[in-house]
Amino acid sequence: MDPVLCQYSHVCSGCDAILSSYETQKNQKIATLRNLLTSHTLPEIQFQSFGTHGLRSRLDFVFDNHNFGLYSHITRKIEDLPICLQLSDSLQLALNQFRNLKPPISKGSFRIRVSPQEEIGFWLDFSNENIKDLLQSRDYLLALQEIGHVEMGQRHKALYQKPSGELGIGQPQFHHWSETVFEHKKIPLLSTVASFTQPSHISNAWITEKIENWCETLKPQNILEFGSGIGNLTFPALAYKNSKLTALEFDGLSFQALTKNVESLGLGQRIDLRRGDYRKSTDLKLSDYDLLLLNPARNGVGELLKSDVTSDSIIYMSCYPETLALDTQHLNNLGYSLQELIIVDQFPQTTHMEVLSLFTLCKS
Ligand SMILES: C[S@@+](CC[C@H](N)C(=O)[O-])C[C@H]1O[C@@H](n2cnc3c(N)ncnc32)[C@H](O)[C@@H]1O
């Protein structure tokens, strides 16, 4: 594949592998994963690519002193990035519009996302003081609202206009910012702009279809899912028509979105929703489940696998292979072996990787 010619490649900290060819990046990711899992018998490590750039459907940038971008690893200041080759075309257009408006503040983080239907969402993770000033001065937020949905602060509060014309922020609003699959059809997922989603609609379509295909083959009766988020893997996991699923999620706003998504699909009879910190020891009886579907944050599943794990299969998706390696060691000791191991390259030009793995219990 042709190298990606990014004019910021020597300064921007966003793409820490961009100075290597894509082939070298691929080989390095495979070697890193193999080294982390060195003591295990591994299947062939597959590498699923979606191209070298243009994948991202959401971005997280910082605004600092009129620069919109990411830290420069040379100056340690924010490098202005008018163009980022990692963005999808529609996300780049949304960034252009955001930049034109120039926020009247000196510093803050922001997220922009574009839905599969090309709606635009902005999350301004600014200080409370800045939010208050922007609400009072109105013009900037009114102009931004003309372009897309606006959310502010850590509690994802939605911007609205009072009948008096004043601006306020209130309850989070849930829109269809991403999609997954259920019964081989694409379905929209409700969330806030600031909720966690996978970074790209393109790679996520591949991931969710893979989960659906695995679950169709495995035919689990009872699934336990750790880290359900807004339900991205939950619905494809129900591919086998008789299966039931217990969904574990810690984050309050993701859990609210998950609840709404389950309701809107009418799947309340098949999905048991539980909110809590399931990295700590729990009263869940893991031996009741014949499939575990694990998609933790970087810190892994904690104590969850320390209980009585007897499921036939485990699907483990991880954006942090170091914790996947630790849990693989533990699962090996319990008699599980890796059947499939796939690097899903949804972070090209970086050293980050998403790993999708399937373990089965060796019954001897
Ligand atoms: C990598 S995200 C995956 C979300 C979802 N599966 C998806 O594909 O969009 C990890 C999820 O684990 C949740 N999580 C983190 N710590 C948790 C805990 N202690 N107990 C339950 N869920 C947790 C996070 O809130 C987040 O939604």
Side-chain angles (χ1 to χ4, degrees):
M1 274 188 207
D2 292 338
V4 170
L5 298 173
C6 170
Q7 56 188 304
Y8 310 103
S9 56
H10 286 83
V11 281
C12 176
S13 59
C15 290
D16 59 352
I18 199 167
L19 298 178
S20 305
S21 73
Y22 191 61
E23 193 58 23
T24 305
Q25 293 174 30
K26 170 182 169 181
N27 292 336
Q28 277 176 350
K29 284 183 183 176
I30 293 173
T32 303
L33 187 59
R34 188 173 292 121
N35 287 341
L36 282 168
L37 297 170
T38 191
S39 56
H40 311 289
T41 313
L42 296 185
E44 178 206 355
I45 300 179
Q46 302 169 53
F47 188 87
Q48 180 60 44
S49 170
F50 308 92
T52 57
H53 59 286
L55 268 189
R56 293 197 71 112
S57 320
R58 64 166 167 85
L59 67 80
D60 293 291
F61 274 9
V62 178
F63 173 74
D64 190 3
N65 244 330
H66 307 292
N67 290 342
F68 300 78
L70 296 169
Y71 280 92
S72 154
H73 53 70
I74 295 174
T75 63
R76 303 275 165 210
K77 294 194 176 131
I78 294 299
E79 182 69 27
D80 193 43
L81 302 172
I83 294 173
C84 171
L85 298 179
Q86 292 309 310
L87 312 185
S88 69
D89 290 347
S90 44
L91 186 57
Q92 177 65 58
L93 287 175
L95 174 62
N96 298 348
Q97 290 177 285
F98 185 79
R99 290 173 59 90
N100 281 341
L101 291 180
K102 306 210 185 327
I105 61 159
S106 60
K107 189 170 177 159
S109 305
F110 62 93
R111 168 172 293 177
I112 307 179
R113 65 163 76 240
V114 176
S115 76
Q117 286 69 39
E118 314 233 317
E119 267 194 286
I120 298 171
F122 301 105
W123 173 37
L124 309 180
D125 193 14
F126 296 170
S127 70
N128 287 342
E129 213 171 287
N130 281 333
I131 291 175
K132 213 169 125 204
D133 290 347
L134 291 177
L135 287 169
Q136 264 166 12
S137 59
R138 287 181 11 118
D139 289 355
Y140 172 73
L141 292 177
L142 284 173
L144 199 59
Q145 209 176 24
E146 292 276 301
I147 308 170
H149 298 259
V150 181
E151 246 168 66
M152 291 197 268
Q154 281 293 301
R155 294 160 78 181
H156 313 187
K157 288 193 172 170
L159 178 68
Y160 68 93
Q161 195 163 9
K162 299 176 189 171
S164 63
E166 270 178 275
L167 293 181
I169 44 173
Q171 289 302 313
Q173 297 292 314
F174 297 84
H175 293 284
H176 290 144
W177 291 116
S178 62
E179 61 191 10
T180 183
V181 285
F182 179 58
E183 296 180 336
H184 295 290
K185 287 191 206 86
K186 284 187 176 171
I187 52 157
L189 285 178
L190 293 164
S191 72
T192 60
V193 177
S195 299
F196 176 87
T197 64
Q198 301 300 331
S200 157
H201 299 317
I202 296 170
S203 56
N204 193 50
W206 189 91
I207 290 167
T208 50
E209 232 178 88
K210 185 77 187 170
I211 300 285
E212 188 165 60
N213 290 338
W214 273 345
C215 290
E216 225 165 24
T217 311
L218 296 168
K219 298 188 174 35
Q221 299 285 332
N222 241 335
I223 306 166
L224 182 68
E225 183 189 20
F226 176 97
S228 305
I230 63 171
N232 184 44
L233 308 184
T234 313
F235 301 108
L238 289 173
Y240 179 53
K241 62 181 181 339
N242 295 326
S243 54
K244 293 200 167 179
L245 183 147
T246 301
L248 311 179
E249 177 51 49
F250 181 60
D251 177 69
L253 283 164
S254 297
F255 191 81
Q256 268 189 48
L258 174 65
T259 308
K260 286 178 189 292
N261 287 321
V262 170
E263 276 166 11
S264 74
L265 280 166
L267 287 171
Q269 297 290 322
R270 292 179 66 191
I271 303 177
D272 174 14
L273 297 168
R274 302 207 190 175
R275 184 176 172 214
D277 178 356
Y278 286 94
R279 293 189 77 249
K280 297 193 177 135
S281 56
T282 91
D283 53 358
L284 283 169
K285 209 166 148 224
L286 261 68
S287 55
D288 286 346
Y289 301 93
D290 51 354
L291 172 67
L292 304 186
L293 170 58
L294 312 174
N295 185 202
R298 293 165 71 95
N299 56 0
V301 295
E303 298 291 302
L304 187 84
L305 295 176
K306 299 278 161 10
S307 31
D308 190 15
V309 182
T310 57
S311 63
D312 299 326
S313 320
I314 298 174
I315 295 173
Y316 196 140
M317 182 159 118
S318 171
C319 62
Y320 201 66
E322 286 79 357
T323 43
L324 173 69
L326 283 176
D327 287 330
T328 300
Q329 180 64 58
H330 178 63
L331 290 173
N332 266 216
N333 296 341
L334 294 178
Y336 287 88
S337 63
L338 271 163
Q339 298 304 310
E340 282 199 57
L341 191 55
I342 310 165
I343 295 173
V344 181
D345 198 27
Q346 52 179 355
F347 308 106
Q349 314 304 339
T350 77
T351 51
H352 298 294
M353 61 177 122
E354 192 75 46
V355 180
L356 189 50
S357 53
L358 174 64
F359 295 82
T360 55
L361 183 61
C362 317
K363 287 177 182 154
S364 51

